[in-house]
Amino acid sequence: MVNKLRKKEKKKRGFLSSFSICFIVVILAAILSWIIPAGSYQTLEYDAGADEFIVSSADYDEEAGTGEQKSYPATQETLDEFGITAGLDNFKAGNITKPMSIPGTYEKVETSHQGLKEFLASPVQGTADGFDIIFFIFMLGGTIGIINYIGAFNAGIGALAKACKGREQIIVIVVTALIAFMGTIEGFCEETIALYPVLVPVFLAAGYDAITAVGAIYMGSTIGCMFSTINPFSVGIASYAAGTTMNAGIGFRLVGLILGTIITILYLMRYASKIKKNPELSLVADQKELVMEKFSAVDMDNIPEFTTRRKICILMFVLTFGVMIWGIMVPGWWFEELSELFIVSGVLIGIVGGIGEKAIVREFVNGAADLVGVALILGVARAVTILLDNGNISGTILEGLSTAVSGMPPAVFLVLLMLVYVVLGFFINSSSGLAVLSIPIMAPLADVVGIPRELIVSAYVYGLGIITFITPTGIVMPSLELVDTTYDRWLKLAMPLVCILTVFGAIMLVIQLAFS
């Protein structure tokens, strides 16, 4: 079966694979380290154990033995001295844990070209850095492997498809809206990887294609993150770093969330309705057989019986996701705890499903193996940020862009700042990482232009959200890898929506400026 699928894949794939696209961007990052002058900012980090601030010089590198670090009292006076507008409480409460750029401290540092050795090492380092997420993906795959072996998915999906007969668009609306809600409140992004093996068969059974499922899941997550309301990992950290609060500007972001989600749903429904009426118009029509076999799509004429045991297994799986969401939002679980959750869930579901110890172990391992490609591509995507940081060019890029937009009329400044974050987000697609790197530098520009600092936060989340729809350094490549869809097809679906939302984001910024 595997060889058969591979032969079909070779015949039907004409565009570069997700891995190749990511490696091209990694090569670009390495080349930029030879073109862009090296430069960096001093950084300030809170050491909770010693209750003090650690300030690192721009050229500090512990491994190379360059630069220096100094300790300062953990007081508001220290923050004021370095021009950091984030309140002391935010550091001591753990709201800001990463090193924060100190405004006005940019300086050129020793060049650190990223050559062949560094290029080859970067995916390894990226995989090591992201091992918590990668292990979570493996544990998720193991649990899904057990449920598939029990037959609970096929039986449950068949029952759901029958119940939604003639009203299949409800699936698109509900999935997109719910994930957008999770995105806006807690940055539901990497966690969406868990949903593809579950929801893609649902969309296939409803008569849609695999890329519609990716659209509902990934676009839903991204529009929610783009208009974050209380997401602590983006708007939270950015607000603290800018010296304002999450409540400032939340009303405008909430309106943007509602309208942006409606725009996204209508856009996706238009495509979904078109390909449901005429499957040949699907962007992945030539990959239908491959995807149907990969996801063991339900034969609607031969649906497995949805027995009580299978219903209990599905219920346990759904409850696992409920516990996952609770764990993220309340006690603040991260991928280590989420991995533990799915290990326990997979074993318990196997026991309830009555498949025996050997089958539980075998299918758990097989299920984890199915997601190896997805897990590894995350490491390759992270290599870009590693090369930019090791090449000491992230600071130079930020300094150049911040200088370019300063001193402009407020409305022009805000729109261009949003586009600056589109550029920065292409390379640094980490909401928290980009916030602590850039907001301390950008926020003082608001005072120069004469606008409230919460507008800087809005420009940041809008710009990062826009580029997240398509950047290879984000989660889109692992998502496409999961459904064997190439990047060019995703661009055909996503680019018109990206253009619409870019204009919409600019309009929302101008409206917020008018009412500020």
Side-chain angles (χ1 to χ4, degrees), residues 46-54 71-74:
Y46 177 62
D47 184 343
D51 190 29
E52 60 185 13
F53 288 121
I54 306 297
S71 301
Y72 292 85

Side-chain angles (χ1 to χ4, degrees), residues 482-506:
L482 266 168
V483 297
D484 289 299
T485 298
T486 51
Y487 187 53
D488 60 322
R489 315 212 182 187
W490 174 251
L491 290 179
K492 287 180 182 178
L493 177 66
M495 278 307 298
L497 179 62
V498 168
C499 293
I500 293 169
L501 291 176
T502 300
V503 175
F504 177 62

